[in-house]
Amino acid sequence: MVGIKDVAKAAGVSVSTVSNVLNGKSNVGEDTKVRVLNICRELSYYPNSAGKALKAGKTNTILFNFSDFDRSFFLKIIHGISDYVNDNGYDLIICTEKSCEKFMRSNLSCGGIILDQKMKDETLNKIAGNSYPIVVLDRIIENPYIKSIVVNNYDPMCELIQGVIKRGYRHFGFVGGPEHTDDNKERYRAFRDVLEQNNITFQQKSYFAGDYREKSGYTAAKILMLSQELPDCLVCANDNMAIGAMKAFRDNGIRVPEDIAITGFDNCDLAEVMGLTTVSIPNYERGYIAARYLIENIRGSRNVEPFKISAKILWRNSVLLKKK
Amino acid sequence: MVGIKDVAKAAGVSVSTVSNVLNGKSNVGEDTKVRVLNICRELSYYPNSAGKALKAGKTNTILFNFSDFDRSFFLKIIHGISDYVNDNGYDLIICTEKSCEKFMRSNLSCGGIILDQKMKDETLNKIAGNSYPIVVLDRIIENPYIKSIVVNNYDPMCELIQGVIKRGYRHFGFVGGPEHTDDNKERYRAFRDVLEQNNITFQQKSYFAGDYREKSGYTAAKILMLSQELPDCLVCANDNMAIGAMKAFRDNGIRVPEDIAITGFDNCDLAEVMGLTTVSIPNYERGYIAARYLIENIRGSRNVEPFKISAKILWRNSVLLKKK
DNA sequence: TTGTAAGCGTTATCAA
DNA sequence: TTGATAACGCTTACAA
């Protein structure tokens, strides 16, 4: 490993001069500067980040944390984060599961964007601080050093259900996601509220608890098919489960939307091909905005007002335009 | 930031004792050990990795590099890598684009898995060394410190084309990927070889240059539809382009497979729903194996024989079972 | 314009 | 069983 000393020796100068050259300080002669830079190239010298970080007491690295490998919209979020972070001279590391807390606490990163729901609020509250701002996605944490960025689930879900009702649907089923997650709660609440506003009763037996995975939607639909009569419309808390349900119906000769309508939430890649009516979340933008707020907070602005991202409804033919 | 000194002071011991406790050394009394550990918890002390890395001269962090956010199979590769790496006590950082070289050269990682084709062979040859082994995916680099893991494209592509011919297809079109990539070359070569073995001529005008993205497949199909007569079967170098082509045909009233058959390569998420005949690459396993070889090489074994992963064909109904 | 030296947090060596 | 001290590679006051 070639270090700053090797460069200094080869260039016949002191290490501090090399350091000054590399950091663009003005107190160094033109000819020495050129000589040093050439030597660096020749020896292919790269500064050791450990030394740098240790001295500086901080880094310029943003951390992004996720862990659910089944949902491909993460790639879009990462893309948005990556673009903003790179444009602003920061580095990005993405990490999963266990390494994450370590990378946050050990000065290897200077701020984090957290998507993984497995990372507990309590842990984040402990880690967040003046020198380590955090942005959390899909949940709200009240903490002067944590900015929350959430999708406005309630309004578009209301609009979606109201639209479905307007099209003549009256009997609903609901497939929910993990019950402790804020977004699932909000989507379900919107669903119930709109039904109530329209004097439509909803029976608890028409609720199916899923986990946002395709398989749980498939299972919910299978169970549903055992009951006396199908609902008109099965509302799913996300696309994966909606797609699972569509497959289950298809496998059992039940037509969508003629026999039953289905709606999802997310607008995942498959949704378009499957013709699934759903709510589109701007994921790239979500990542970009998250990175922007994080870096602004790292730089000293103290902005932790929760930020709501709006989503829009995509009507596709998993719902009939006009029920008979 | 609470450091080892603070812990030492609070516990009334020296920093070296704290260090010994934290690193599980045996030369420390039971009661001091307990006391120190308690203080660590109370103060929520986490060792600073920068100091550690500086002292050790290395880290336990593996780097994974990618940059094409459009292809969701990356998530599966990452998943495989993440599992192996975590099980073996290493940390994983994933990075994109520019940060990558920096993270490789600056002692922030101790080995890398490279998927991004934008990372040049030349650069990798410079970086790889005894203290920095590398694993590259989807290309072969000859270097005593670089292990190549490639998918065997040739054999399954041969089998696929032979199977299509057996089903009665004789007139082919081909949509290729980026022409400099090894996997594209190999897929195309297999295609040509099998045609030749079967005395089927292939005209250059039936070749369309794409870039692995859906849009280029769509465009290729549009161009194809302008010609006098369609081929029987359009072979695409990957699924994205095959799906683009399917959409183009669908949008123009041409039926798949009745009017034209289509094949892909990758078995991406959409392929199943679209009923695309394709070649399935075990991506999770690919990541897992890549991580395994990398860590073995970090630990001293010097294994750089190129590793070929086999893939298998999935016949779906984008190809007729038996052409009339 | 350049060099000397201290110090960042950690671990390893050696002495107590 | 413990503690003092040097060293890792870098930056930065300050001295020359």
Side-chain angles (χ1 to χ4, degrees):
Chain A
M1 202 72 203
V2 32
I4 199 172
K5 279 184 199 161
D6 304 296
V7 176
K9 196 177 294 173
V13 296
S14 74
V15 289
S16 39
T17 301
V18 177
S19 174
N20 286 330
V21 170
L22 262 39
N23 291 291
K25 296 284 193 290
S26 56
N27 60 346
V28 50
E30 189 56 32
D31 45 347
T32 14
K33 181 190 286 181
V34 173
R35 197 165 72 251
V36 167
L37 287 175
N38 279 333
I39 306 254
C40 285
R41 203 165 324 113
E42 276 169 36
L43 302 183
S44 63
Y45 164 75
Y46 268 73
N48 178 322
S49 314
K52 216 169 191 160
L54 183 54
K55 179 66 187 172
K58 69 185 184 66
T59 51
N60 273 310
T61 301
I62 301 297
L63 176 142
F64 174 65
N65 162 247
F66 81 104
S67 78
D68 181 346
F69 299 93
D70 288 335
R71 309 220 271 155
S72 70
F73 66 79
F74 292 144
L75 281 177
K76 302 205 183 84
I77 296 183
I78 295 173
H79 196 178
I81 296 176
S82 175
D83 281 356
Y84 189 86
V85 160
N86 282 322
D87 287 350
N88 285 273
Y90 283 75
D91 293 307
L92 172 65
I93 64 182
I94 299 164
C95 74
T96 61
E97 307 274 354
K98 301 148 204 154
S99 311
C100 185
E101 192 171 346
K102 176 162 159 191
F103 279 125
M104 298 208 279
R105 308 201 86 127
S106 60
N107 262 20
L108 279 178
S109 61
C110 61
I113 300 173
I114 309 297
L115 180 56
D116 190 354
Q117 298 285 338
K118 276 184 253 146
M119 182 67 74
K120 297 206 203 84
D121 285 13
E122 189 196 335
T123 313
L124 295 175
N125 274 318
K126 265 197 206 139
I127 297 175
N130 188 30
S131 60
Y132 202 91
I134 290 180
V135 170
V136 288
L137 299 175
D138 290 344
R139 61 176 136 172
I140 292 186
I141 299 184
E142 293 204 15
N143 180 308
Y145 306 105
I146 301 181
K147 170 106 185 172
S148 302
I149 296 187
V150 290
V151 172
N152 180 345
N153 293 281
Y154 190 83
D155 293 334
M157 188 54 132
C158 286
E159 196 189 326
L160 175 68
I161 302 302
Q162 192 61 59
V164 171
I165 292 172
K166 205 177 97 195
R167 281 163 172 79
Y169 291 89
R170 286 294 175 275
H171 300 99
F172 291 86
F174 190 92
V175 184
E179 310 215 328
H180 60 281
T181 61
D182 288 344
D183 49 2
N184 178 61
K185 280 187 224 159
E186 219 184 344
R187 290 169 198 181
Y188 183 57
R189 192 162 52 79
F191 168 77
R192 292 301 300 265
D193 287 355
V194 173
L195 257 51
E196 196 170 324
Q197 285 155 25
N198 288 271
N199 297 311
I200 296 175
T201 55
F202 178 78
Q203 299 180 313
Q204 204 51 39
K205 66 166 190 188
S206 303
Y207 180 96
F208 302 88
D211 61 2
Y212 276 163
R213 288 163 196 267
E214 191 177 308
K215 199 162 184 309
S216 69
Y218 193 93
T219 309
K222 293 276 275 187
I223 296 172
L224 194 61
M225 287 184 280
L226 296 175
S227 67
Q228 308 294 24
E229 53 174 347
L230 287 180
D232 301 330
C233 177
L234 184 63
V235 176
C236 303
N238 84 342
D239 280 0
N240 281 5
M241 298 192 298
I243 285 165
M246 287 175 99
K247 287 184 180 170
F249 289 134
R250 194 188 55 194
D251 293 351
N252 289 271
I254 291 179
R255 296 164 305 164
V256 175
E258 293 83 357
D259 299 327
I260 187 168
I262 296 193
T263 67
F265 209 107
D266 276 353
N267 190 31
C268 72
D269 292 342
L270 277 178
E272 190 200 341
V273 190
M274 303 281 288
L276 178 65
T277 289
T278 188
V279 177
S280 162
I281 299 172
N283 285 305
Y284 175 89
E285 292 76 8
R286 214 149 55 113
Y288 194 88
I289 288 170
R292 201 185 77 200
Y293 279 117
L294 180 61
I295 288 180
E296 285 175 6
N297 281 345
I298 288 170
R299 291 186 172 149
S301 73
R302 185 72 52 75
N303 177 339
V304 292
E305 269 298 291
F307 184 93
K308 287 224 168 193
I309 290 194
S310 59
K312 76 167 200 285
I313 294 165
L314 300 176
W315 291 100
R316 299 206 183 97
N317 49 28
S318 68
V319 174
L320 282 172
L321 251 177
K322 201 85 186 179
K323 200 160 170 334
K324 69 276 164 179
Chain B
M1 203 72 202
V2 32
I4 199 171
K5 280 185 198 161
D6 304 295
V7 177
K9 196 176 292 173
V13 296
S14 74
V15 288
S16 29
T17 299
V18 177
S19 175
N20 285 330
V21 169
L22 262 39
N23 291 288
K25 296 284 192 294
S26 56
N27 60 347
V28 50
E30 188 56 33
D31 45 347
T32 13
K33 182 191 284 181
V34 174
R35 195 165 75 253
V36 168
L37 288 176
N38 280 334
I39 305 254
C40 285
R41 202 165 324 114
E42 276 169 36
L43 302 182
S44 62
Y45 162 75
Y46 268 75
N48 179 322
S49 310
K52 221 170 188 158
L54 181 55
K55 178 67 186 165
K58 67 186 186 66
T59 51
N60 274 309
T61 303
I62 301 296
L63 175 142
F64 174 66
N65 160 247
F66 80 105
S67 78
D68 181 345
F69 299 93
D70 288 336
R71 311 219 270 155
S72 70
F73 68 78
F74 293 146
L75 281 178
K76 302 205 183 85
I77 296 183
I78 296 173
H79 196 178
I81 296 176
S82 174
D83 281 356
Y84 189 85
V85 160
N86 281 323
D87 287 351
N88 284 274
Y90 283 75
D91 293 309
L92 172 65
I93 64 182
I94 299 164
C95 76
T96 63
E97 306 275 353
K98 300 148 205 155
S99 311
C100 185
E101 193 173 347
K102 176 163 159 190
F103 281 136
M104 299 208 278
R105 308 201 86 128
S106 60
N107 263 21
L108 276 178
S109 60
C110 60
I113 299 174
I114 310 297
L115 180 56
D116 190 354
Q117 298 286 339
K118 275 184 253 145
M119 182 65 77
K120 297 207 203 84
D121 285 12
E122 189 196 335
T123 313
L124 296 175
N125 274 318
K126 264 197 207 137
I127 297 175
N130 188 29
S131 61
Y132 202 92
I134 290 180
V135 170
V136 288
L137 299 175
D138 290 344
R139 61 176 136 172
I140 292 187
I141 300 183
E142 293 204 16
N143 180 307
Y145 306 105
I146 302 183
K147 171 107 186 172
S148 302
I149 295 187
V150 291
V151 173
N152 181 345
N153 293 281
Y154 189 83
D155 293 334
M157 188 54 129
C158 286
E159 195 190 327
L160 175 68
I161 302 302
Q162 192 61 59
V164 171
I165 291 173
K166 204 176 100 194
R167 281 163 172 78
Y169 291 90
R170 287 293 176 276
H171 299 99
F172 290 87
F174 190 92
V175 184
E179 311 216 329
H180 61 281
T181 61
D182 289 343
D183 50 1
N184 179 59
K185 280 187 225 160
E186 220 184 344
R187 290 169 198 181
Y188 183 57
R189 192 161 53 79
F191 168 76
R192 291 302 299 266
D193 288 355
V194 174
L195 256 51
E196 196 170 324
Q197 286 154 25
N198 287 271
N199 297 310
I200 296 174
T201 55
F202 179 77
Q203 297 179 315
Q204 205 50 39
K205 66 167 192 191
S206 303
Y207 180 95
F208 302 88
D211 61 2
Y212 277 162
R213 288 162 195 269
E214 190 176 310
K215 200 161 183 307
S216 68
Y218 193 93
T219 309
K222 293 277 275 187
I223 295 172
L224 194 61
M225 287 184 280
L226 295 175
S227 66
Q228 306 296 23
E229 53 175 347
L230 287 180
D232 301 331
C233 176
L234 184 62
V235 175
C236 302
N238 84 342
D239 281 1
N240 282 5
M241 298 192 299
I243 286 164
M246 286 174 99
K247 287 184 181 169
F249 290 133
R250 194 187 57 195
D251 292 352
N252 289 271
I254 291 180
R255 297 164 305 162
V256 175
E258 293 83 356
D259 300 327
I260 187 168
I262 296 192
T263 68
F265 208 109
D266 276 353
N267 191 32
C268 70
D269 291 344
L270 277 178
E272 189 200 342
V273 191
M274 302 282 287
L276 178 65
T277 289
T278 188
V279 177
S280 162
I281 299 172
N283 284 304
Y284 175 89
E285 291 77 9
R286 212 147 59 111
Y288 194 87
I289 289 170
R292 202 186 76 201
Y293 279 116
L294 181 61
I295 289 180
E296 284 174 5
N297 281 344
I298 288 170
R299 291 185 172 150
S301 73
R302 185 72 52 73
N303 178 340
V304 292
E305 269 298 291
F307 184 93
K308 287 224 168 193
I309 291 193
S310 57
K312 75 169 200 284
I313 294 165
L314 300 175
W315 291 99
R316 299 205 183 98
N317 49 27
S318 68
V319 174
L320 282 172
L321 251 177
K322 201 85 186 179
K323 200 162 173 330
K324 70 273 164 178

